[in-house]
PDB file of all heavy atoms in Angstrom:
ATOM      1  N   CYS A 267     114.530 104.752 120.734  1.00 98.00           N
ATOM      2  CA  CYS A 267     115.482 105.111 119.670  1.00 98.00           C
ATOM      3  C   CYS A 267     116.926 105.184 120.159  1.00 98.00           C
ATOM      4  O   CYS A 267     117.778 105.814 119.529  1.00 98.00           O
ATOM      5  CB  CYS A 267     115.089 106.429 118.982  1.00 98.00           C
ATOM      6  SG  CYS A 267     113.484 106.353 118.160  1.00 98.00           S
ATOM      7  N   ARG A 268     117.219 104.496 121.269  1.00 98.00           N
ATOM      8  CA  ARG A 268     118.586 104.455 121.779  1.00 98.00           C
ATOM      9  C   ARG A 268     119.349 103.308 121.123  1.00 98.00           C
ATOM     10  O   ARG A 268     118.834 102.192 121.016  1.00 98.00           O
ATOM     11  CB  ARG A 268     118.588 104.268 123.298  1.00 98.00           C
ATOM     12  CG  ARG A 268     117.911 105.396 124.052  1.00 98.00           C
ATOM     13  CD  ARG A 268     117.849 105.114 125.541  1.00 98.00           C
ATOM     14  NE  ARG A 268     117.111 103.890 125.851  1.00 98.00           N
ATOM     15  CZ  ARG A 268     116.552 103.620 127.029  1.00 98.00           C
ATOM     16  NH1 ARG A 268     116.660 104.508 128.010  1.00 98.00           N
ATOM     17  NH2 ARG A 268     115.903 102.495 127.233  1.00 98.00           N
ATOM     18  N   THR A 269     120.581 103.580 120.704  1.00 98.00           N
ATOM     19  CA  THR A 269     121.446 102.527 120.194  1.00 98.00           C
ATOM     20  C   THR A 269     122.097 101.813 121.371  1.00 98.00           C
ATOM     21  O   THR A 269     121.866 102.150 122.539  1.00 98.00           O
ATOM     22  CB  THR A 269     122.541 103.098 119.276  1.00 98.00           C
ATOM     23  OG1 THR A 269     123.505 103.809 120.080  1.00 98.00           O
ATOM     24  CG2 THR A 269     121.952 104.042 118.234  1.00 98.00           C
ATOM     25  N   SER A 270     122.947 100.840 121.079  1.00 98.00           N
ATOM     26  CA  SER A 270     123.672 100.141 122.144  1.00 98.00           C
ATOM     27  C   SER A 270     124.811 100.971 122.712  1.00 98.00           C
ATOM     28  O   SER A 270     125.446 100.579 123.695  1.00 98.00           O
ATOM     29  CB  SER A 270     124.215  98.806 121.621  1.00 98.00           C
ATOM     30  OG  SER A 270     125.072  99.022 120.514  1.00 98.00           O
ATOM     31  N   LEU A 271     125.105 102.135 122.117  1.00 98.00           N
ATOM     32  CA  LEU A 271     126.131 103.050 122.623  1.00 98.00           C
ATOM     33  C   LEU A 271     125.486 104.055 123.572  1.00 98.00           C
ATOM     34  O   LEU A 271     124.394 104.565 123.295  1.00 98.00           O
ATOM     35  CB  LEU A 271     126.813 103.783 121.463  1.00 98.00           C
ATOM     36  CG  LEU A 271     127.479 102.911 120.394  1.00 98.00           C
ATOM     37  CD1 LEU A 271     128.015 103.783 119.265  1.00 98.00           C
ATOM     38  CD2 LEU A 271     128.601 102.082 121.007  1.00 98.00           C
ATOM     39  N   SER A 272     126.161 104.365 124.641  1.00 96.00           N
ATOM     40  CA  SER A 272     125.605 105.265 125.648  1.00 96.00           C
ATOM     41  C   SER A 272     125.314 106.646 125.081  1.00 96.00           C
ATOM     42  O   SER A 272     126.189 107.271 124.453  1.00 96.00           O
ATOM     43  CB  SER A 272     126.596 105.382 126.821  1.00 96.00           C
ATOM     44  OG  SER A 272     126.106 106.270 127.803  1.00 96.00           O
ATOM     45  N   ASP A 273     124.077 107.129 125.299  1.00 97.00           N
ATOM     46  CA  ASP A 273     123.655 108.469 124.893  1.00 97.00           C
ATOM     47  C   ASP A 273     123.763 108.714 123.392  1.00 97.00           C
ATOM     48  O   ASP A 273     123.928 109.858 122.948  1.00 97.00           O
ATOM     49  CB  ASP A 273     124.426 109.549 125.661  1.00 97.00           C
ATOM     50  CG  ASP A 273     124.084 109.554 127.137  1.00 97.00           C
ATOM     51  OD1 ASP A 273     122.899 109.331 127.467  1.00 97.00           O
ATOM     52  OD2 ASP A 273     124.994 109.763 127.964  1.00 97.00           O
ATOM     53  N   VAL A 274     123.690 107.643 122.616  1.00 98.00           N
ATOM     54  CA  VAL A 274     123.684 107.760 121.152  1.00 98.00           C
ATOM     55  C   VAL A 274     122.351 107.206 120.639  1.00 98.00           C
ATOM     56  O   VAL A 274     121.991 106.062 120.922  1.00 98.00           O
ATOM     57  CB  VAL A 274     124.853 106.992 120.507  1.00 98.00           C
ATOM     58  CG1 VAL A 274     124.772 107.078 118.980  1.00 98.00           C
ATOM     59  CG2 VAL A 274     126.193 107.545 121.002  1.00 98.00           C
ATOM     60  N   TYR A 275     121.645 108.025 119.912  1.00 98.00           N
ATOM     61  CA  TYR A 275     120.349 107.675 119.345  1.00 98.00           C
ATOM     62  C   TYR A 275     120.472 107.554 117.824  1.00 98.00           C
ATOM     63  O   TYR A 275     121.325 108.194 117.207  1.00 98.00           O
ATOM     64  CB  TYR A 275     119.309 108.744 119.689  1.00 98.00           C
ATOM     65  CG  TYR A 275     119.026 108.873 121.159  1.00 98.00           C
ATOM     66  CD1 TYR A 275     119.924 109.523 122.019  1.00 98.00           C
ATOM     67  CD2 TYR A 275     117.860 108.350 121.722  1.00 98.00           C
ATOM     68  CE1 TYR A 275     119.677 109.633 123.379  1.00 98.00           C
ATOM     69  CE2 TYR A 275     117.598 108.457 123.078  1.00 98.00           C
ATOM     70  CZ  TYR A 275     118.511 109.103 123.897  1.00 98.00           C
ATOM     71  OH  TYR A 275     118.266 109.206 125.252  1.00 98.00           O
ATOM     72  N   ALA A 276     119.615 106.744 117.220  1.00 98.00           N
ATOM     73  CA  ALA A 276     119.552 106.653 115.758  1.00 98.00           C
ATOM     74  C   ALA A 276     118.103 106.691 115.339  1.00 98.00           C
ATOM     75  O   ALA A 276     117.238 106.059 115.975  1.00 98.00           O
ATOM     76  CB  ALA A 276     120.225 105.379 115.255  1.00 98.00           C
ATOM     77  N   ILE A 277     117.806 107.441 114.284  1.00 98.00           N
ATOM     78  CA  ILE A 277     116.420 107.643 113.858  1.00 98.00           C
ATOM     79  C   ILE A 277     116.328 107.683 112.342  1.00 98.00           C
ATOM     80  O   ILE A 277     117.313 107.883 111.637  1.00 98.00           O
ATOM     81  CB  ILE A 277     115.852 108.956 114.442  1.00 98.00           C
ATOM     82  CG1 ILE A 277     116.672 110.152 113.964  1.00 98.00           C
ATOM     83  CG2 ILE A 277     115.820 108.915 115.962  1.00 98.00           C
ATOM     84  CD1 ILE A 277     116.107 111.504 114.395  1.00 98.00           C
ATOM     85  N   GLY A 278     115.115 107.488 111.847  1.00 96.00           N
ATOM     86  CA  GLY A 278     114.864 107.636 110.420  1.00 96.00           C
ATOM     87  C   GLY A 278     115.259 106.430 109.594  1.00 96.00           C
ATOM     88  O   GLY A 278     115.229 105.290 110.065  1.00 96.00           O
ATOM     89  N   ASP A 279     115.634 106.686 108.347  1.00 95.00           N
ATOM     90  CA  ASP A 279     115.903 105.626 107.372  1.00 95.00           C
ATOM     91  C   ASP A 279     116.979 104.638 107.809  1.00 95.00           C
ATOM     92  O   ASP A 279     116.987 103.494 107.353  1.00 95.00           O
ATOM     93  CB  ASP A 279     116.343 106.238 106.038  1.00 95.00           C
ATOM     94  CG  ASP A 279     115.231 106.995 105.334  1.00 95.00           C
ATOM     95  OD1 ASP A 279     114.111 107.051 105.872  1.00 95.00           O
ATOM     96  OD2 ASP A 279     115.488 107.531 104.233  1.00 95.00           O
ATOM     97  N   CYS A 280     117.899 105.077 108.662  1.00 97.00           N
ATOM     98  CA  CYS A 280     119.046 104.228 109.012  1.00 97.00           C
ATOM     99  C   CYS A 280     118.806 103.398 110.265  1.00 97.00           C
ATOM    100  O   CYS A 280     119.656 102.581 110.641  1.00 97.00           O
ATOM    101  CB  CYS A 280     120.302 105.077 109.181  1.00 97.00           C
ATOM    102  SG  CYS A 280     120.232 106.239 110.569  1.00 97.00           S
ATOM    103  N   ALA A 281     117.668 103.581 110.940  1.00 97.00           N
ATOM    104  CA  ALA A 281     117.437 102.937 112.240  1.00 97.00           C
ATOM    105  C   ALA A 281     116.543 101.717 112.097  1.00 97.00           C
ATOM    106  O   ALA A 281     115.456 101.790 111.533  1.00 97.00           O
ATOM    107  CB  ALA A 281     116.813 103.937 113.211  1.00 97.00           C
TER     108      ALA A 281
END
Side-chain angles (χ1 to χ4, degrees):
C267 298
R268 298 176 300 202
T269 72
S270 58
L271 302 176
S272 179
D273 293 322
V274 177
Y275 296 76
I277 60 175
D279 292 0
C280 65

